[in-house]
Amino acid sequence: MRLILLGPPGAGKGTQAKMLTEKLGVPQLSTGDMLREAVAAGTATGKKAKAVMEAGKLVSDAIVNAIVSERLDHKDCARGFILDGYPRTLAQADALSAMLRKKRKPLQKVVELVVDDDALVERIAGRYTCAKCGEGFHDKFKQPRNAGTCDKCGGTEFKRRADDNADTLRVRLFAYYKDTAPLTGYYHAQGMLRKIDGMGDITKVKRLLAAELGKGQKRRT
Ligand code: AMP
């Protein structure tokens, strides 16, 4: 399955993408994760992206397009991929279409997770991850079963993203509505966009997404 998950920061794209990778056997391609790795590794790309990300603004199209194009050639994308956080501008969407045409791997689904702004702020303000395995948790919605211990790997160190604060979030939401929201029209015009209600809890959204992804599968494969 070649899929894009669309939606504002905090909509649950990353959480749902992670769960889908296991079910579909395809990787999650999160440009945010890739950029954070580049920043942590101190690569040339990371150095260019660091300040922009900390401010909540968008990294240049040229940088993210190059990262995604290279990543799509990895063997694990042969059966498909879940794009999470990319494309984020119309220019990126055009670049992606051109890349996929060239690689003869057309998109199959674009699903938007629809969530109210107030809920986004609450979700983002409370989220954190295991420093060892990256499993996601939330102060209110998903606490570890044993306090202070990761359910998945037993790690005891957790971290919060530098850009998950109220000020940066405002800038990120502005960037979303200005640059990324027009993509819903872009994919709608191509007859590809599906919307699901992202306001429910993780399990409910997972069920809605599975139902949406199941539609038309027999015809397509
Ligand atoms: P995310 O993890 O998707 O919330 O992304 C975190 C930050 O990485 C964003 O606020 C941007 O600064 C940068 N970023 C991630 N993906 C993109 C993209 N497709 N285009 C531009 N900047 C991006």
Side-chain angles (χ1 to χ4, degrees), residues 198-211:
M199 287 294 289
D201 63 24
I202 293 172
T203 314
K204 186 172 172 207
V205 177
K206 182 181 175 188
R207 245 194 333 263
L208 291 174
L209 187 54

Side-chain angles (χ1 to χ4, degrees), residues 44-116:
T45 297
K47 283 185 182 129
K48 282 187 208 148
K50 188 169 187 284
V52 180
M53 292 173 74
E54 279 171 3
K57 297 191 175 155
L58 293 184
V59 174
S60 78
D61 292 334
I63 289 181
V64 284
N65 288 339
I67 294 181
V68 171
S69 177
E70 192 274 331
R71 182 65 184 82
L72 286 172
D73 288 334
H74 290 206
K75 254 201 198 129
D76 63 346
C77 293
R79 295 183 53 213
F81 47 78
I82 305 160
L83 283 166
D84 153 19
Y86 179 93
R88 243 173 164 105
T89 64
L90 289 168
Q92 290 178 21
D94 275 341
L96 176 67
S97 298
M99 270 177 233
L100 295 179
R101 211 175 306 122
K102 204 162 149 209
K103 296 177 202 291
R104 293 179 200 280
K105 289 176 178 171
L107 273 179
Q108 289 165 305
K109 298 242 173 177
V110 180
V111 180
E112 181 190 2
L113 305 183
V114 181
V115 179
D116 294 348

